[in-house]
Amino acid sequence: MTRLRQALRGAGPMAAVLGVAVALVLGAGEWAARSELDNQWDNLRRSGEVQALALRGVATRYSYLPFTAAQQPLIATLLHNPRAELLRSAANAYLETVNANAGSDTLYVMDTSGLTVASSNWNTPASFVHQNYHNRPYFRDAMQGQSGRFYGVGKTTGEPGLFASAPVVENGKVVGVVAVKVRMQPIVDTWTQLRDPIFVTDARGIVFLGSVPAWLYKTTRPVPGQAVRQVQFDEQYGPQWTPQPVPWKTQPQQDPPGGEITLAPSGKRYLALEEPLPDLGWTLTLTADSRAVAAAQQQAWALASLASGLLVLGALYWQLRERRLQENRQARIELEQRVQERTHALQQAHAFRQSMEDSLLVGMRARDLEGRIVYVNAAMCEMVGYTAAELIGCLPPYPYWHPDDLERHWSDVDTVQAGKASPQGRENRLRHRNGSDVYTMFYTARLIDGHGQHIGWMSSVVDITAQKRAEELQQQREAQLQRVQRVITVGEMASTLAHELNQPLAALVNYAAAARAVSVQAQPQLLQDTLAALSAQALRAADIVGRIRHWVRQQPASREPCDLNATVEQSLSLLLRAEARRHGVPVRLALAAEPVRVSADRVLLEQVVLNLGLNALQAMQSQQPPAPGRELLLRTATEAGRASLQVLDRGPGLPPEIAERLFEPFFTTRSDGLGLGLNICRSIVESMGGELLARNRDGGGAVFEIRLPSLASSP
């Protein structure tokens, strides 16, 4: 009956342990699946930004070619005399040369009926000459006096590509069209090397570019009949194209950012993230295999099951141990009487040994064969901040192990237990109880008892923190000097580059002016207009280079009327909005209803706003945990003849010791910073007659404010 009652008493705790084990397994699987899913979405977002940038680069790289060729007088002359063989040959040679230098696929000219009169591939079997492209949208757009862009399968070559066009205008009338074809196969080749599919759809939902050839020209959603007829008329995806659905089904996620597609008939599932490209009229879709989420969940279940098993075994061991303790309690009472007889003698020996140990400056630590600490002296306790009672009996990991070096500490334990401890010692970083770092040298040897048996290890520990701090301080000073030298070198390189580039640009302006004078004497109006445009572009380039030289040489900046509202929008479009999205921080604008006009260097002012915005995002990112309601707020206003632009965040704010030195050169709170950003920003604003101020924000966070003299608004 006694054993039965003991079993019943033990059943309650064991049931609780089993319940905790089951909950641990289920919770671990759910947590692992959610964590892996969030990781997959983050990877898709970052990859989407990179791929979207690459697509935009390829799509816009050659858009200038049709416009440039349309300005060539030879093209307009050919369009007026399409049967003149000499003109056609000259135009073909010109287009071939421009196309070869630019690296595009084909550059060609069409008359108002869509008939190609000259082409860069005039001497190839797939020549565009005498081919008619009147049904192509890019031709129709150019005939309306607009630039055109169109992706489709070539009517002549059968190879897909991106077509861009520009009108040839003479006396306000469109007399022809210049178009360029660009192959996008190189970017597709890079996609085929990726593990998961990636594809692009047009505005109608038709896949026209992707890493899986079998999906090309299939529809992701129903296409209206009128749109189908338009695509067939344009021969966008070949003369035989008919709408066919893609081989997958799309299921939206309960918690976006994306959805999930299931391939038929394999049933393979992918996470799918759509990245709209509104400026191109396309949608980029990136995918990730859903099996990674399931694999992470299964691994978590396996690990949690193992941990639960260990928990149950531990509970069983605890029950057995309690039973053993109860049985041995009586025996211990008898043993204690014997121990008391020898205590006095041992106390005398211990007092002598303790006095000797307390006089040592080197820390001493002894461990048994299991790694349990069995002895520490006073020097060791002072070194780590723990008492001997707190350390003796501890098994690895020890409380003074540094959390950043756990793998190294475990490796040292394995090395010592394998009998491979280095006689030259081992450097280790420990964590003092007060949170400070302690650098030490450990020298470990075998611990042998009186019978010659190996019973553990004895380590002597030398504190080298002061020496280590001195070495780190010296390294920091050397690194700072190197950074300063790099900044000076960059300034000198920028000044030299600006000087060297300005000379050829000035020569280009002089040559253009001389050519204009010659054309005036000969009365060729068209040549004069062309060279005038060339001169204007060269002057613009020289102005940009001059801006760089002025800033590097600290000369007064050139100013122009500009709008602070437009400056905010441009900074957002450059980088700020993308960075805010990457950090998960919403951006809110509170811009003045009317334009806030100031006299400033627009490019440098945009750079100041961009720098302040990035600093605000980094400040909010460094705050752990994140502040509630964190946001990046940009606000403009005009008051009493002064215009202001404020950048507000919900970060940790500006402590007094930081606020006093905020704008000092080379002062920074970031380990990877130069400490020059805010100093340069203030110098730029002051060069424009303004001031840059910083203060703490009500409710938490910081405010950086640019103040400039306001210009009167135009009527």
Side-chain angles (χ1 to χ4, degrees):
M1 293 297 294
T2 302
R3 292 183 178 274
L4 179 60
R5 285 195 296 268
Q6 292 177 349
L8 291 175
R9 284 197 299 269
M14 282 305 301
V17 170
L18 289 175
V20 171
V22 172
L24 175 64
V25 172
L26 296 178
E30 182 63 24
W31 173 84
R34 172 55 59 182
S35 178
E36 179 63 23
L37 185 61
D38 292 341
N39 184 55
Q40 291 284 2
W41 286 126
D42 289 340
N43 291 337
L44 285 175
R45 288 191 194 95
R46 289 192 291 270
S47 180
E49 293 176 359
V50 173
Q51 297 297 344
L53 183 62
L55 272 177
R56 286 191 175 96
V58 173
T60 59
R61 180 179 179 182
Y62 298 101
S63 58
Y64 72 95
L65 275 182
F67 174 78
T68 302
Q71 310 304 313
Q72 173 59 244
L74 176 60
I75 301 301
T77 304
L78 174 63
L79 289 170
H80 285 297
N81 301 279
R83 299 182 181 277
E85 290 299 329
L86 291 178
L87 287 175
R88 184 190 302 272
S89 298
N92 286 334
Y94 167 74
L95 295 174
E96 183 178 11
T97 301
V98 172
N99 183 72
N101 291 334
S104 54
D105 187 58
T106 309
L107 183 64
Y108 53 103
V109 180
M110 295 165 284
D111 61 17
T112 55
S113 67
L115 183 66
T116 304
V117 297
S119 174
S120 62
N121 66 351
W122 61 275
N123 59 347
T124 65
S127 172
F128 287 8
V129 178
H130 301 311
Q131 300 295 328
N132 196 298
Y133 304 107
H134 71 280
N135 65 327
R136 293 295 202 174
Y138 66 86
F139 175 77
R140 297 195 296 269
D141 292 341
M143 287 302 298
Q144 296 296 324
Q146 303 173 355
S147 298
R149 183 184 289 116
F150 170 77
Y151 185 91
V153 176
K155 293 178 60 176
T156 303
T157 64
E159 296 181 356
L162 179 66
F163 298 84
S165 64
V168 180
V169 181
E170 189 174 45
N171 297 326
K173 181 180 178 181
V174 177
V175 297
V177 175
V178 179
V180 64
K181 178 181 179 182
V182 181
R183 294 179 66 252
M184 302 189 72
Q185 188 60 34
I187 197 169
V188 175
D189 292 340
T190 63
W191 290 351
T192 57
Q193 300 176 10
L194 300 178
R195 181 188 62 184
D196 300 318
I198 179 172
F199 57 91
V200 183
T201 57
D202 61 16
R204 300 182 178 93
I206 302 174
V207 178
F208 67 89
L209 204 64
S211 59
V212 182
W215 296 355
L216 292 181
Y217 314 134
K218 290 183 170 56
T219 60
T220 59
R221 60 176 182 267
V223 181
Q226 183 179 359
V228 171
R229 289 188 293 273
Q230 184 64 50
V231 173
Q232 292 173 341
F233 174 78
D234 296 339
E235 298 184 56
Q236 184 170 4
Y237 302 123
Q240 306 300 325
W241 178 84
T242 56
Q244 296 180 5
V246 291
W248 69 69
K249 293 183 179 180
T250 303
Q251 180 180 0
Q253 290 283 324
Q254 295 179 353
D255 185 16
E260 186 176 58
I261 62 176
T262 303
L263 298 184
S266 64
K268 191 172 184 179
R269 295 185 300 173
Y270 290 93
L271 300 176
L273 177 69
E274 293 185 351
E275 182 76 16
L277 306 175
D279 51 332
L280 300 176
W282 302 344
T283 300
L284 172 66
T285 303
L286 300 99
T287 66
D289 198 335
S290 297
R291 290 182 298 181
V293 178
Q297 189 176 41
Q298 292 173 357
Q299 291 175 0
W301 282 340
L303 292 176
S305 298
L306 178 60
S308 300
L310 294 176
L311 178 63
V312 172
L313 291 176
L316 292 174
Y317 171 77
W318 176 79
Q319 281 189 327
L320 293 175
R321 180 175 178 273
E322 288 296 319
R323 185 179 302 172
R324 295 279 184 172
L325 290 175
Q326 183 67 26
E327 294 173 354
N328 294 332
R329 188 170 288 116
Q330 186 62 35
R332 289 176 56 188
I333 295 175
E334 298 175 358
L335 290 175
E336 288 176 358
Q337 295 176 354
R338 300 178 184 178
V339 171
Q340 289 177 356
E341 298 174 358
R342 301 185 60 185
T343 300
H344 181 70
L346 292 175
Q347 288 177 343
Q348 295 294 329
H350 177 72
F352 176 81
R353 189 186 68 177
Q354 190 67 40
S355 299
M356 180 181 65
E357 294 169 353
D358 291 342
S359 65
L360 294 176
L361 298 179
V362 175
M364 303 296 295
R365 180 196 68 186
R367 296 178 295 171
D368 62 16
L369 294 174
E370 296 179 358
R372 182 182 290 105
I373 297 177
V374 297
Y375 165 77
V376 288
N377 68 347
M380 182 67 185
C381 294
E382 183 179 358
M383 200 176 298
V384 298
Y386 294 91
T387 64
E390 293 173 320
L391 294 178
I392 293 177
C394 288
L395 285 167
Y398 305 128
Y400 52 79
W401 276 9
H402 199 285
D404 296 338
D405 296 340
L406 291 179
E407 293 185 2
R408 177 184 179 92
H409 290 305
W410 282 113
S411 175
D412 290 345
V413 170
D414 295 337
T415 301
V416 170
Q417 290 182 342
K420 299 179 180 180
S422 173
Q424 287 78 24
R426 176 80 167 176
E427 181 177 331
N428 273 317
R429 180 173 59 163
L430 307 181
R431 175 61 61 86
H432 194 275
R433 188 169 193 167
N434 62 11
S436 62
D437 292 347
V438 180
Y439 293 90
T440 60
M441 286 293 295
F442 273 72
Y443 300 87
T444 302
R446 288 173 174 263
L447 183 63
I448 307 300
D449 65 3
H451 302 287
Q453 298 294 322
H454 175 210
I455 61 173
W457 293 271
M458 175 64 74
S459 299
S460 59
V461 187
V462 180
D463 188 347
I464 60 170
T465 303
Q467 174 186 349
K468 198 72 175 178
R469 298 296 185 198
E471 294 175 356
E472 291 178 354
L473 181 60
Q474 181 64 26
Q475 292 176 357
Q476 291 174 1
R477 289 175 177 173
E478 292 176 358
Q480 185 175 10
L481 289 175
Q482 292 176 359
R483 287 198 299 268
V484 171
Q485 185 61 39
R486 286 197 297 268
V487 170
I488 295 173
T489 303
V490 168
E492 294 174 352
M493 290 175 63
S495 178
T496 302
L497 179 61
H499 175 74
E500 294 297 330
L501 285 178
N502 200 40
Q503 291 178 355
L505 287 173
L508 182 59
V509 173
N510 293 334
Y511 290 153
R516 188 192 306 176
V518 172
S519 68
V520 169
Q521 296 174 4
Q523 297 300 320
Q525 183 62 36
L526 184 58
L527 178 60
Q528 182 180 358
D529 294 341
T530 302
L531 293 178
L534 177 63
S535 178
Q537 292 298 321
L539 287 172
R540 181 175 180 273
D543 179 64
I544 294 174
V545 174
R547 191 192 306 268
I548 298 174
R549 294 185 62 190
H550 290 169
W551 173 244
V552 173
R553 295 185 177 183
Q554 298 183 351
Q555 296 178 357
S558 60
R559 304 182 194 176
E560 59 183 349
C562 58
D563 180 15
L564 290 185
N565 291 345
T567 299
V568 171
E569 295 290 350
Q570 181 65 16
S571 300
L572 286 173
S573 65
L574 285 175
L575 181 60
L576 204 52
R577 194 182 302 277
E579 277 297 298
R581 183 166 61 249
R582 187 174 69 84
H583 289 289
V585 177
V587 178
R588 185 162 63 91
L589 301 181
L591 305 181
E594 298 294 331
V596 182
R597 295 170 55 80
V598 297
S599 176
D601 188 315
R602 177 180 54 81
V603 175
L604 295 180
L605 186 58
E606 290 171 357
Q607 189 63 29
V608 171
V609 177
L610 183 61
N611 196 327
L612 296 179
L614 293 176
N615 284 351
L617 292 175
Q618 292 171 354
M620 288 186 283
Q621 186 70 15
S622 65
Q623 189 178 19
Q624 296 297 334
R630 64 177 185 170
E631 65 174 3
L632 175 61
L633 173 60
L634 292 97
R635 182 164 57 198
T636 60
T638 304
E639 183 178 0
R642 302 286 290 181
S644 69
L645 191 159
Q646 297 179 347
V647 179
L648 304 92
D649 63 58
R650 286 297 184 188
L654 303 173
E657 64 274 15
I658 292 179
E660 293 177 358
R661 305 183 59 193
L662 197 60
F663 295 97
E664 291 182 10
F666 305 108
F667 173 75
T668 179
T669 58
R670 301 203 310 268
S671 61
D672 58 344
L674 287 176
L676 294 174
L678 288 177
N679 178 263
I680 293 176
C681 288
R682 169 173 276 188
S683 300
I684 291 174
V685 174
E686 289 178 351
S687 71
M688 301 174 189
E691 55 183 348
L692 177 59
L693 306 175
R695 63 181 183 274
N696 283 315
R697 183 182 181 184
D698 294 338
V703 180
F704 285 80
E705 182 177 8
I706 301 171
R707 293 182 179 177
L708 293 168
S710 175
L711 295 179
S713 300
S714 58

